[in-house]
Amino acid sequence: MILVADKTILYTGAAGGLGMETTLNFLRAGAKVVAVDNNPAKIADLSGKVEQEGLQGLTIRAIDLSDLATLRRRLEEVSAETGGFDIVINNAAIYPSKPFEEYSIEEMQAVQRVNVDAGIVCVQVALPHMRKEGWGRIVNIASVTAYGGWANLSPYVQSKGALIGLTRAWAREFGAYGITVNAISPGAFPTDAEKIHPDPEGYTRFVLDHQAVKRRGAASDISNALMFLASDAAGFITGQTLNVDGGWVMH
Ligand SMILES: NC(=O)c1ccc[n+]([C@@H]2O[C@H](COP(=O)([O-])OP(=O)(O)OC[C@H]3O[C@@H](n4cnc5c(N)ncnc54)[C@H](O)[C@@H]3O)[C@@H](O)[C@H]2O)c1
């Protein structure tokens, strides 16, 4: 039995394709989730599902993660209201796609702001409470693209590499306080993130060719891994990047 009940989870991009399922599962398990997302349609979908199931414990904050000062202020407020964050999941991401030479430096930086810098703010806000409790979990969501040299995704791949690096740096620095830090590196999952590919059927063939497991990944595959890493059961695992990708990447 994996226990996350009574924990408060700060979850960015919680209303997205992979975030939604995990948010619902955390709520079903009795955790409190502070969902930060700025997509009104996805937020409405999440609220609807939570209401339909009669689940308790969801707080939604529609914050644009690229506004780091506002993010910090609003998170400090909600941290004070909820008593602090025990678990941080840095999951939100943007994923523009075009040849490297067409990106301006500002566009490159804008991707780092959402995919990496917002996560840094989340961890900085959560850390004092985690240290006080002597317990914390941080999970950064990386990507298979960080390993495979994918074309046209330079700022995205850059951001995922940064998250893997921060996972190790934070794991080393926070371990003494009972805080573990891990990354999950999803393979290819059929969410909005995949709609950037012009040929969906060809892309599915490409994905299945690369995976050892010959089925498409589901949000529940990510949810299972996340719930484990966020729990007490994973207390001796830190600084790791767990590939949840049907055996695409093997180390
Ligand atoms: N789906 C895949 O195949 C896949 C593969 C590898 C990695 N990932 C990673 O998994 C994570 C979740 O991806 P997903 O597939 O659920 O994508 P998604 O686009 O469905 O979810 C991302 C969520 O982040 C939110 N978000 C984006 N920018 C934001 C901002 N500025 N402020 C607030 N919220 C913002 C979006 O509204 C969305 O709900 C991402 O980190 C992604 O890079 C996904």
Side-chain angles (χ1 to χ4, degrees), residues 79 83-88 122-138 170-181:
S79 171
F85 306 117
D86 306 297
I87 298 168
V88 172
C122 289
V123 169
Q124 285 182 335
V125 171
L127 203 53
H129 170 79
M130 290 180 177
R131 283 187 60 160
K132 188 157 67 69
E133 293 296 308
W135 194 97
R137 296 281 182 270
I138 297 167
W170 287 341
R172 180 66 61 194
E173 204 164 323
F174 307 158
Y177 311 121
I179 302 166
T180 67
V181 189

Side-chain angles (χ1 to χ4, degrees), residues 122-216:
C122 289
V123 169
Q124 285 182 335
V125 171
L127 203 53
H129 170 79
M130 290 180 177
R131 283 187 60 160
K132 188 157 67 69
E133 293 296 308
W135 194 97
R137 296 281 182 270
I138 297 167
V139 184
N140 297 319
I141 306 300
S143 166
V144 67
T145 59
Y147 299 100
W150 291 49
N152 296 332
L153 287 173
S154 296
Y156 177 78
V157 174
Q158 176 192 12
S159 73
K160 297 306 187 182
L163 285 178
I164 291 169
L166 283 170
T167 297
R168 295 171 186 167
W170 287 341
R172 180 66 61 194
E173 204 164 323
F174 307 158
Y177 311 121
I179 302 166
T180 67
V181 189
N182 292 288
I184 287 176
S185 183
F189 289 78
T191 67
D192 280 356
E194 195 167 289
K195 292 183 185 150
I196 56 173
H197 296 284
D199 169 17
E201 283 175 21
Y203 185 67
T204 291
R205 275 196 305 280
F206 167 78
V207 168
L208 294 180
D209 279 350
H210 282 79
Q211 291 177 186
V213 176
K214 300 300 179 190
R215 69 159 172 83
R216 294 305 311 272

Side-chain angles (χ1 to χ4, degrees), residues 11 26 61 73 75 82 97 99 109 133 156 161 198 202 225 237:
Y11 198 164
F26 275 130
R61 288 291 178 271
R73 182 175 51 75
L75 290 183
T82 59
S97 175
Q109 288 169 341
E133 293 296 308
Y156 177 78
I237 301 171

Side-chain angles (χ1 to χ4, degrees), residues 7-247:
K7 302 293 186 201
T8 301
I9 301 165
L10 172 58
Y11 198 164
T12 68
L18 298 181
M20 165 93 71
E21 174 95 6
T22 313
T23 301
L24 293 172
N25 283 336
F26 275 130
L27 295 172
R28 288 172 188 138
K32 298 184 189 73
V33 179
V34 176
V36 177
D37 207 298
N38 71 341
N39 182 312
K42 290 180 179 181
I43 289 173
D45 199 15
L46 174 62
S47 313
K49 289 201 165 86
V50 166
E51 206 170 308
Q52 207 178 353
E53 261 194 65
L55 295 168
Q56 302 294 316
L58 178 67
T59 302
I60 296 177
R61 288 291 178 271
I63 307 171
D64 177 359
L65 292 165
S66 64
D67 181 350
L68 299 177
T70 302
L71 175 67
R72 187 182 296 276
R73 182 175 51 75
R74 303 257 331 252
L75 290 183
E76 297 283 8
E77 283 166 10
V78 73
S79 171
E81 284 161 23
T82 59
F85 306 117
D86 306 297
I87 298 168
V88 172
I89 303 172
N90 288 317
N91 165 73
I94 52 175
Y95 28 81
S97 175
K98 62 181 178 179
F100 172 67
E101 60 268 31
E102 292 176 18
Y103 286 104
S104 67
I105 193 72
E106 288 76 18
E107 286 172 320
M108 297 286 291
Q109 288 169 341
V111 176
Q112 309 321 303
R113 201 172 310 123
V114 174
N115 295 11
V116 183
D117 299 348
I120 292 172
V121 170
C122 289
V123 169
Q124 285 182 335
V125 171
L127 203 53
H129 170 79
M130 290 180 177
R131 283 187 60 160
K132 188 157 67 69
E133 293 296 308
W135 194 97
R137 296 281 182 270
I138 297 167
V139 184
N140 297 319
I141 306 300
S143 166
V144 67
T145 59
Y147 299 100
W150 291 49
N152 296 332
L153 287 173
S154 296
Y156 177 78
V157 174
Q158 176 192 12
S159 73
K160 297 306 187 182
L163 285 178
I164 291 169
L166 283 170
T167 297
R168 295 171 186 167
W170 287 341
R172 180 66 61 194
E173 204 164 323
F174 307 158
Y177 311 121
I179 302 166
T180 67
V181 189
N182 292 288
I184 287 176
S185 183
F189 289 78
T191 67
D192 280 356
E194 195 167 289
K195 292 183 185 150
I196 56 173
H197 296 284
D199 169 17
E201 283 175 21
Y203 185 67
T204 291
R205 275 196 305 280
F206 167 78
V207 168
L208 294 180
D209 279 350
H210 282 79
Q211 291 177 186
V213 176
K214 300 300 179 190
R215 69 159 172 83
R216 294 305 311 272
S220 56
D221 294 312
I222 296 296
S223 176
N224 290 336
L226 247 177
M227 292 188 77
F228 169 63
L229 288 178
S231 74
D232 271 330
F236 203 52
I237 301 171
T238 196
Q240 307 302 314
T241 299
L242 178 61
N243 301 305
V244 181
D245 62 4

